[in-house]
Amino acid sequence: MLAVAACSSSDLPYVETFDSAGSWRTGSDTYTEGEVRDGVYDLYIKSDDVSRWSPAGRNFSDGIYEVEATQVEGPLDNGYGMLLRADTDKGDFYLFKVSGDGYVWIGRYVDEAEDQSIINNHWFESPVVKTGLNQTNKLRVNAESGNLIFFVNDSEVGRVTDNNFKEGDVGLFAQTLGFGGVRVFFDNLSVTPLET
C-alpha cells in the first residue's frame, strides 16, 4: 500500500480533480512512485508482480463511484482501476480494474491480497475497454447497499449482490503482472449520490 490516510465522514458529492495533493499522500519506495502533478495522480509501478493502492482518506457507503484512468507507459498486461468500501488498515475492499490489453477484473481483496472474483470467476475480456497506451477508460460503480453495478466507458460489464463490505474508503489501484514499468494517470475521481 502506497499511503494510508485517516478516514473521516464525508458528505456527497466528493470530487477530486488532483489540482493539488490535498489528503492524498505521495512518495516512493523500492517498488512504487506516487505523486499528484499536472492535474492527475501519477502512479508508477517499477517492479514486476506488484500491486499498490492509494486511498482518499474518506468514508462512503452508497453512491456512484467514478474515475478516469489512462495508462501512459509500460506493458499492457497489467491492472488498474479503483477500490471502494475499503478498510485500508486491514486491506479489505472491493476492487474494479481493467487491463491495458482489454480485460476486466471485479472482486474482493482481503488482508491486502486478492480474495476472489465476484463476477465471471477471473479476468474476462471486454470490447468496451479501450486498449493500448494513452487511452482513457472511465470506470463507474453504482453501489446501493449490497447491489453493485459496474461500468466501463458507460457500458455495463457486470452486476452482483455482495454484502461483505458496507462502507469505507475509495482509492486508486495499479499492478504489474509479470513485467514492471506500468504508469497510470488518474483523474476526476468522484463519489456522488445515487440517481433517484
Side-chain angles (χ1 to χ4, degrees):
M1 173 170 33
L2 182 70
V4 176
C7 286
S8 62
S9 283
S10 301
D11 294 326
L12 298 182
Y14 169 74
V15 178
E16 177 59 82
T17 57
F18 300 105
D19 293 323
S20 66
S23 64
W24 296 87
R25 295 192 185 171
T26 59
S28 63
D29 58 28
T30 304
Y31 309 106
T32 314
E33 294 175 5
E35 67 175 319
V36 175
R37 65 179 181 83
D38 301 325
V40 298
Y41 191 99
D42 177 355
L43 185 53
Y44 179 58
I45 311 297
K46 299 182 268 188
S47 300
D48 60 345
D49 296 316
V50 171
S51 298
R52 286 292 187 267
W53 55 88
S54 182
R58 306 286 177 149
N59 192 64
F60 305 106
S61 179
D62 292 352
I64 299 171
Y65 295 74
E66 296 180 279
V67 71
E68 295 172 2
T70 307
Q71 183 188 353
V72 296
E73 290 180 23
L76 301 182
D77 184 15
N78 57 44
Y80 59 89
M82 71 172 153
L83 49 99
L84 63 147
R85 294 185 174 175
D87 182 333
T88 52
D89 290 333
K90 291 182 178 179
D92 295 351
F93 49 82
Y94 292 115
L95 178 62
F96 179 27
K97 60 186 174 180
V98 297
S99 68
D101 56 357
Y103 287 79
V104 177
W105 191 93
I106 301 167
R108 292 189 301 262
Y109 264 51
V110 175
D111 295 329
E112 300 187 8
E114 193 173 292
D115 179 48
Q116 74 175 75
S117 300
I118 55 177
I119 293 178
N120 283 353
N121 296 320
H122 202 49
W123 285 97
F124 59 94
E125 195 168 8
S126 174
V128 301
V129 178
K130 296 178 184 176
T131 59
L133 299 179
N134 303 306
Q135 297 292 318
T136 299
N137 283 292
K138 180 180 174 183
L139 280 63
R140 184 175 98 224
V141 183
N142 290 11
E144 183 174 13
S145 188
N147 300 313
L148 308 171
I149 308 173
F150 300 87
F151 300 84
V152 176
N153 300 318
D154 298 318
S155 294
E156 184 179 325
V157 293
R159 61 176 62 205
V160 69
T161 299
D162 187 289
N163 290 294
N164 280 272
F165 309 134
K166 303 203 184 294
E167 65 179 12
D169 211 345
V170 63
L172 311 172
F173 179 94
Q175 72 182 142
T176 52
L177 299 170
F179 298 95
V182 171
R183 184 183 300 273
V184 181
F185 290 168
F186 294 92
D187 200 5
N188 298 318
L189 173 72
S190 65
V191 185
T192 55
L194 288 164
E195 299 163 351
T196 57

